[in-house]
Amino acid sequence: MAEPCPSADSEELTDSEGSAYSGLQDSGSDSSSSDEEEEQEEGPGGGSVPRTRAKGAPRKRKTLEDDSSLEENKALLAQNEYEEDSSDEEDIRNTVGNIPMEWYQDFPHIGYDLEGKKIYKPIRNKDELDMFLEKMENPDYWRTVQDKMTGADIKLTDEQIDLVQRLQKGQFGDVHFNPYEPAVDFFTHEVMIHPVTNRPADKRSFIPSLIEKEKVSKLVHAIKMGWIKPRKPKDDTPTYYDLWAHEDPNSILGRHKMHVPAPKMKLPGHEESYNPPPEYLLSEEERLAWEQQEPAERRLSFVPRQHRSLRAVPAFPRFIHERFERCLDLYLCPRQRKMRVNVDPEDLIPKLPKPRDLQPFPTTQALVYRGHTSLVRCLSISPSGQWLVSGSDDGSVRFWEVSTARCMRTLPVGGVVKSLAWNPNPSICLVAICVEHSVLLVNPCLGDKLLYGATDQLLESYVPPEEERVQPVRWVTATAEEHGRGIRLLVQHSKAVKQVTWHGKGDYFASVVSDNSNMQVLIHQSSKRWSQNPFRRSKGLVQCVLFHPIRPYFFVATQRYVRVYNLLKQELTKKLMSNCKWVSSMAIHPGGDNIICGSYDSKLAWFDLDLSTRPYQLLRHHKRALRSVAFHRRYPLFASGSDDGTVIVCHGMVYNDLLQNPLLVPVKVLKGHALTLDLGVLDVLFHPTQPWVFSSGADGTIRLYT
């Protein structure tokens, strides 16, 4: 027959009954580990399951039966050591001991915690309706019980519910207990002389424990001496301090040495009186002007009014608004002094030399060369600086005398002249002109007769090779009629030619073709009438090319990049990133270490080839697209011409000291060209020896600035 469930009253001796000092021992003594261990219960699966205990329930002393299984449970106890450990700051264990809870029925509290403070009963104001709603809505209502020690609601675990259900069915609490095991006959039917056990009860079972008394007296002595201190109560009151406290060193704000006190409000003046003097009242015109002003610009934020007495003054309609703004002013005002760096704005601008210290440079328009009927696209000047040649859309090339602006010769070429270049070698008198699909080599027959005669003899001394070589172009000797006009040779290309440029020695020249293949750039040798294509494949749309003035380098400008090739090694040396959308023109410094690029997005990029592949400086002086840039051969000057009709001359000093960066200073804006068809200056060119600059424009004129 199953044993009945033991009631709460018939439990084993608890701490409060076993010893007179046990209540104190539980509240802070370092008692032996066996008193602190939790009871383990055999769960349904056979494993040892910790029995959860309601917060505040008194802990039971280990019974003798449990001591036998203590060794088995040590491993589980180690891992379940922190299972009941609560992370809460406060431990609301009820320490009243094993007394009837009915004693506290008429009190608002239900016991005392570890610090001796009252544990108040939870406010239970649930009526029948609340209980019914909770029963309907709370899915765990059926497994919730009330703890008599703390009055809190406790949700039973699955193991506890299994235990309750087994006890209700009259079964044993332990799943693994077998009531029908075969009985062991301890006793015989014969009466024995000696009893099985007659051990007298221990003395400790009926007198107070001396060891516990000693421990408690030690704890009481330590509390009296102040060695054991109760837990400090947690102070929940928020700390407030006066934001605008006086600057005494003890105040919290005393730490801020740079603290700024709150701004004071302006004291009211006569205009805020209910009966102001007549000069403070606004006239009709002043009131209208006040209403039209922005609120931030008004001298007064209100209109002064006159009332016969203080009782007649109405409520101020913007009172709340004004108080709100005052609060905003107070809490948005910065309360700390920032160490402001007092810098003179003039010091931030780089100290550039004055333009008058950088003279000479062109400042005034001296001559206008008129004669072309359409826009003048290109200019070139003889190495001596005596003759100027210009090419125009009217299909003619004109040769001018620089000093008098007189047109010496006009050469009709029957097409738009895109580019022309005078041979830089002073001993050769030859001009290369781009017309449609051909490059014309023209002897202008100007100046020294011996000079241009020697040029003709040089061209006529050419001996053709025995074997015909395959070339990308055709070299054609001029006919008698063309020879009479000055044309000596024609280099015929497959596509339209858009640029021609000479090498410094005067024998080689390069041409750029409007094509997207690898035949865009061709290099020609005039003495041997031999042409070659230096590139295997196209790297983009080539805009212009240049020869290095000293070294065997070749510059090729595409839309966004400038590539520098070594002609001897036949390899790419550098790739310059222009930071521009579309490069339009390029010029190289006579020293050869700096180049400038103009672009259609109105930028001028100066590159220092020894410094970086990115621009050393980007100048944005022009408002519209740059069409042409040029360096002076002798003076530290460079110029740029743009569609805004201006030529900007800049001082560009390059130092021999490699540690010193170039000095770039814009010195003069030259105007004069009229805008035609939205185009302004199309080409700029410096005189080889004088600080003069030539510009050609869409208005059909060439202008000389000196």
Side-chain angles (χ1 to χ4, degrees):
M1 181 178 165
E3 286 181 12
C5 173
S7 66
D9 300 318
S10 62
E11 284 177 346
E12 297 129 324
L13 278 174
T14 56
D15 286 349
S16 54
E17 285 178 337
S19 163
Y21 308 105
S22 61
L24 273 169
Q25 177 201 354
D26 192 23
S27 67
S29 68
D30 46 351
S31 56
S32 62
S33 61
S34 64
D35 286 341
E36 292 295 317
E37 285 162 357
E38 293 296 331
E39 288 187 6
Q40 303 291 325
E41 171 187 317
E42 291 290 325
S48 177
V49 179
R51 179 181 300 155
T52 56
R53 177 178 55 79
K55 247 187 184 179
R59 304 183 178 213
K60 297 181 184 174
R61 187 185 293 280
K62 279 285 178 198
T63 56
L64 288 170
E65 293 86 31
D66 291 324
D67 289 339
S68 61
S69 61
L70 193 60
E71 286 76 14
E72 304 166 12
N73 294 338
K74 273 198 173 166
L76 263 173
L77 280 170
Q79 73 187 39
N80 291 339
E81 184 180 355
Y82 300 108
E83 190 164 301
E84 290 240 333
D85 193 14
S86 165
S87 64
D88 296 340
E89 288 284 341
E90 48 185 347
D91 187 358
I92 52 161
R93 210 179 309 163
N94 198 346
T95 57
V96 293
N98 187 20
I99 60 158
M101 284 290 131
E102 292 79 28
W103 292 0
Y104 285 99
Q105 268 180 1
D106 301 331
F107 291 100
H109 61 285
I110 202 164
Y112 302 91
D113 62 6
L114 284 176
E115 294 164 11
K117 293 184 179 173
K118 293 177 181 177
I119 301 174
Y120 288 95
K121 295 176 186 173
I123 300 167
R124 307 187 69 83
N125 52 0
K126 291 182 183 174
D127 53 12
E128 292 290 329
L129 186 60
D130 291 331
M131 298 288 278
F132 174 72
L133 286 173
E134 192 179 3
K135 187 175 181 180
M136 292 293 114
E137 292 170 359
N138 186 4
D140 295 323
Y141 177 79
W142 61 278
R143 60 158 73 188
T144 308
V145 296
Q146 187 188 356
D147 181 15
K148 285 186 179 178
M149 291 294 283
T150 58
D153 288 339
I154 294 167
K155 180 180 152 189
L156 298 180
T157 62
D158 294 341
E159 292 86 2
Q160 290 169 330
I161 286 167
D162 285 346
L163 177 64
V164 170
Q165 286 172 348
R166 282 199 301 276
L167 294 177
Q168 282 175 342
K169 292 176 187 172
Q171 298 172 357
F172 286 95
D174 190 354
V175 182
H176 301 283
F177 180 74
N178 184 9
Y180 306 112
E181 283 181 354
V184 179
D185 195 7
F186 288 110
F187 303 101
T188 61
H189 60 281
E190 297 169 6
V191 179
M192 300 178 74
I193 306 168
H194 301 292
V196 176
T197 175
N198 195 15
R199 184 167 165 265
D202 286 322
K203 184 179 178 183
R204 66 170 177 253
S205 65
F206 54 84
I207 67 164
S209 165
L210 291 173
I211 297 168
E212 284 186 4
K213 180 180 179 182
E214 194 179 332
K215 276 188 183 175
V216 169
S217 62
K218 279 183 182 175
L219 289 170
V220 169
H221 180 62
I223 290 170
K224 281 180 181 174
M225 296 300 290
W227 301 333
I228 295 178
K229 291 188 173 62
R231 294 186 201 174
K232 280 188 180 174
K234 199 174 171 188
D235 193 15
D236 291 335
T237 55
T239 54
Y240 298 108
Y241 57 89
D242 185 2
L243 191 63
W244 323 118
H246 295 295
E247 286 299 329
D248 63 318
N250 300 323
S251 73
I252 292 178
L253 286 172
R255 290 195 306 270
H256 302 306
K257 300 293 177 207
M258 307 296 284
H259 173 68
V260 180
K264 298 266 193 302
M265 280 192 76
K266 191 168 74 77
L267 292 174
H270 288 305
E271 64 272 4
E272 291 184 58
S273 166
Y274 72 92
N275 188 10
E279 62 265 21
Y280 286 96
L281 296 173
L282 300 184
S283 64
E284 194 62 31
E285 293 84 12
E286 288 174 330
R287 194 177 60 78
L288 285 171
W290 182 88
E291 284 170 358
Q292 284 167 3
Q293 276 181 318
E294 291 289 323
E297 295 173 359
R298 292 171 180 164
R299 194 177 62 81
L300 295 174
S301 60
F302 60 93
V303 178
R305 292 210 178 93
Q306 196 169 27
H307 303 280
R308 63 192 188 321
S309 68
L310 200 54
R311 277 178 300 145
V313 177
F316 182 38
R318 291 186 70 255
F319 175 73
I320 301 283
H321 196 86
E322 203 175 70
R323 292 295 92 199
F324 175 70
E325 283 184 347
R326 170 67 177 161
C327 292
L328 280 185
D329 288 347
L330 284 177
Y331 91 83
L332 290 178
C333 172
R335 292 276 165 265
Q336 202 168 356
R337 223 179 253 110
K338 295 278 183 247
M339 293 306 292
R340 189 167 159 228
V341 186
N342 289 321
V343 179
D344 185 13
E346 297 296 322
D347 297 344
L348 296 175
I349 301 168
K351 288 279 177 281
L352 294 176
K354 294 194 171 83
R356 69 166 176 268
D357 301 336
L358 304 174
Q359 286 174 341
F361 54 83
T363 54
T364 51
Q365 180 179 304
L367 290 172
V368 181
Y369 302 76
R370 300 185 193 274
H372 285 292
T373 55
S374 184
L375 42 100
V376 184
R377 283 192 182 271
C378 44
L379 293 173
S380 188
I381 195 163
S382 65
S384 62
Q386 187 180 359
W387 315 106
L388 179 73
V389 60
S390 61
S392 168
D393 276 15
D394 59 8
S396 68
V397 173
R398 287 179 179 259
F399 294 89
W400 314 81
E401 190 179 15
V402 169
S403 55
T404 60
R406 187 159 66 99
C407 180
M408 305 300 290
R409 279 193 65 186
T410 302
L411 174 65
V413 289
V416 173
V417 181
K418 290 283 180 67
S419 173
L420 46 78
W422 204 300
N423 193 315
N425 190 339
S427 62
I428 299 172
C429 183
L430 206 59
V431 180
I433 302 167
C434 293
V435 182
E436 293 175 348
H437 289 50
S438 303
V439 175
L440 312 180
L441 295 182
V442 176
N443 185 348
C445 301
L446 292 172
D448 191 352
K449 196 169 184 181
L450 290 171
L451 184 63
Y452 62 76
T455 305
D456 281 346
Q457 284 176 7
L458 183 69
L459 291 174
E460 286 161 6
S461 65
Y462 168 72
V463 178
E466 294 168 4
E467 288 184 14
E468 189 68 37
R469 293 179 291 187
V470 179
Q471 297 193 51
V473 297
R474 282 178 59 229
W475 289 76
V476 180
T477 311
T479 61
E481 183 220 343
E482 289 170 339
H483 195 282
R485 291 194 326 216
I487 301 170
R488 299 293 182 258
L489 283 169
L490 290 92
V491 186
Q492 293 178 344
H493 295 65
S494 56
K495 298 270 181 78
V497 188
K498 61 181 181 184
Q499 194 217 348
V500 65
T501 180
W502 284 96
H503 185 265
K505 296 276 175 63
D507 189 17
Y508 288 90
F509 65 95
S511 60
V512 180
V513 179
S514 300
D515 188 8
N516 211 4
S517 66
N518 61 337
M519 304 283 287
Q520 288 185 85
V521 181
L522 299 169
I523 296 178
H524 317 275
Q525 188 176 5
S526 57
S527 61
K528 294 183 179 176
R529 302 189 187 178
W530 161 245
S531 303
Q532 57 183 329
N533 169 22
F535 299 113
R536 270 199 217 96
R537 64 172 186 267
S538 167
K539 296 275 187 180
L541 202 60
V542 177
Q543 302 300 310
C544 53
V545 295
L546 270 179
F547 287 100
H548 194 284
I550 307 158
R551 299 192 196 96
Y553 289 153
F554 190 54
F555 295 86
V556 179
T558 54
Q559 283 183 340
R560 292 189 174 219
Y561 302 101
V562 178
R563 289 176 172 84
V564 186
Y565 294 95
N566 189 324
L567 293 172
L568 284 180
K569 295 182 181 175
Q570 297 185 356
E571 65 181 18
L572 177 68
T573 309
K574 263 189 188 131
K575 182 179 174 186
L576 309 177
M577 283 160 240
S578 66
N579 289 6
C580 305
K581 288 182 182 168
W582 194 312
V583 174
S584 64
S585 51
M586 176 172 56
I588 186 158
H589 191 270
D593 288 334
N594 297 272
I595 69 166
I596 52 175
C597 291
S599 75
Y600 291 120
D601 53 352
S602 66
K603 293 178 192 166
L604 186 143
W606 175 294
F607 290 95
D608 191 334
L609 298 180
D610 297 332
L611 193 67
S612 168
T613 58
R614 295 189 177 276
Y616 160 66
Q617 213 160 325
L618 264 179
L619 307 175
R620 295 183 179 82
H621 298 144
H622 288 284
K623 295 183 177 63
R624 296 179 66 181
L626 270 80
R627 293 281 168 184
S628 178
V629 290
F631 268 112
H632 199 289
R633 262 186 234 166
R634 296 191 182 179
Y635 292 95
L637 296 173
F638 65 96
S640 56
S642 164
D643 278 347
D644 56 12
T646 61
V647 175
I648 295 184
V649 180
C650 301
H651 178 88
M653 187 64 174
V654 176
Y655 298 96
N656 292 327
D657 181 7
L658 292 175
L659 296 174
Q660 198 163 357
N661 288 331
L663 173 72
L664 311 182
V665 186
V667 290
K668 188 67 180 173
V669 179
L670 303 170
K671 298 178 182 174
H673 287 281
L675 294 187
T676 309
L677 304 171
D678 262 354
L679 298 172
V681 178
L682 297 177
D683 199 5
V684 290
L685 176 72
F686 276 104
H687 193 277
T689 55
Q690 299 292 334
W692 300 345
V693 69
F694 299 91
S695 66
S696 67
D699 55 358
T701 62
I702 302 157
R703 294 169 192 265
L704 168 63
Y705 300 93
T706 60

